[in-house]
Amino acid sequence: MRTAVARALAALEEVSVRLIGAPRPAIGAADPFAGLLPWDLTSAEALEVPAAETEYGAALLDFAGVCAIRRAVPPSLAARGGAAASALAAEVRRGVRRRGGDPDCPQVGFRFHEACQRGPGRVDLRGYQLDEEPFAAVGEVGGRAWLPLVRRVLGGDARLLWSGLVVTEPGTAAQRFHADAPPVPRAVWEEHGLLGGLPRATLPAHCLTVFVPLVDLRRGLNGPTAFLPGSHHGATAAAMAAEADEAGSSAGAGGA
């Protein structure tokens, strides 16, 4: 039996031509996504949200779990950020070597408070020099585009938990599909009386991850992050996690 990921990818391929350039659903409709499944949203155009359309953006995030805001950061500023990120990753790798480690060792790797290895060729930096330029400018300029949507979804008191960089060297193996964070247990929502009349299978959004590419992603260059629309729904994520453990599966658990 094909895995949930294989079925989703097949559906994406089948409807990609139909959805490219498709008009954005009317926001005022009772269900702007009637007749679609989350994984039918396959093209960049289908997932695009103008920064000012927070109502539609919130509906799309609820339905698909992912949306895209184009040019939130000017290309020149993104390029500066990309160069600075590569320099930071190189600095970390040199530091690991000075301490006698191998930053590309698949068995041991390295893990520190501010930097760790996510497999050979992939460095994950958390908070390290991200309050300095050009990263501060990326957050300030880009935030003007995405913060209204974040606050529409999470509320006006939403705050930044942490910021980080993932720097991947050419030729690095792809990661398995995964969720960046676990859901908040339903019991916690119930304890604080925050569920209201939501259906049993539904939980509110408690956080959002904003990905800001600092390299050119056109024409499939530079290995862009992949997402599976709809994998944020609990039932879908649970099915994917279960099927990921089946013999011969390469799906990976969770949603992205």
Side-chain angles (χ1 to χ4, degrees):
M1 178 181 292
R2 292 186 301 173
T3 67
V5 171
R7 291 195 299 270
L9 293 178
L12 292 178
E13 184 67 25
E14 290 169 3
V15 300
S16 60
V17 175
R18 174 171 60 85
L19 284 176
I20 289 178
R24 187 172 297 108
I27 296 175
D31 183 359
F33 308 107
L36 291 176
L37 294 171
W39 42 82
D40 285 341
L41 300 175
T42 172
S43 68
E45 291 82 0
L47 292 170
E48 184 178 346
V49 175
E53 293 190 11
T54 58
E55 183 179 354
Y56 175 72
L60 180 57
L61 277 173
D62 181 64
F63 178 72
V66 59
C67 69
I69 300 177
R70 288 185 181 271
R71 292 189 173 271
V73 176
S76 59
L77 178 55
R80 286 173 50 209
S86 294
L88 279 182
E91 176 186 328
V92 168
R93 294 164 67 86
R94 289 193 297 269
V96 172
R97 290 193 181 96
R98 284 196 299 269
R99 288 161 176 78
D102 178 358
D104 293 317
C105 177
Q107 287 78 33
V108 180
F110 63 90
R111 183 175 295 272
F112 301 100
H113 178 69
E114 294 175 318
C116 69
Q117 180 206 63
R118 301 290 185 189
R122 183 175 288 109
V123 175
D124 190 341
L125 305 172
R126 182 170 295 193
Y128 185 55
Q129 298 188 21
L130 293 183
D131 57 348
E132 302 177 10
E133 298 300 339
F135 306 116
V138 170
E140 179 181 356
V141 174
R144 297 170 193 160
W146 63 68
L147 278 178
L149 177 56
V150 169
R151 290 172 177 146
R152 175 65 183 253
V153 174
L154 298 180
D157 59 348
R159 60 186 178 88
L160 178 66
L161 295 179
W162 58 271
S163 56
L165 292 167
V166 177
V167 182
T168 304
E169 298 295 321
T172 300
Q175 288 184 299
R176 291 159 60 92
F177 281 110
H178 62 278
D180 277 351
V184 173
R186 186 177 187 88
V188 175
W189 291 103
E190 292 174 340
E191 178 184 348
H192 293 276
L194 297 175
L195 290 183
L198 288 176
R200 179 69 188 175
T202 303
L203 293 175
H206 69 281
C207 68
L208 294 175
T209 301
V210 178
F211 283 85
V212 186
L214 299 178
V215 294
D216 189 351
L217 299 183
R218 294 174 297 181
R219 300 180 298 278
L221 300 175
N222 293 309
T225 300
F227 299 88
L228 286 178
S231 58
H232 65 307
H233 292 293
T236 305
M240 290 173 61
E243 292 183 353
D245 294 330
E246 292 180 358
S249 172
S250 60

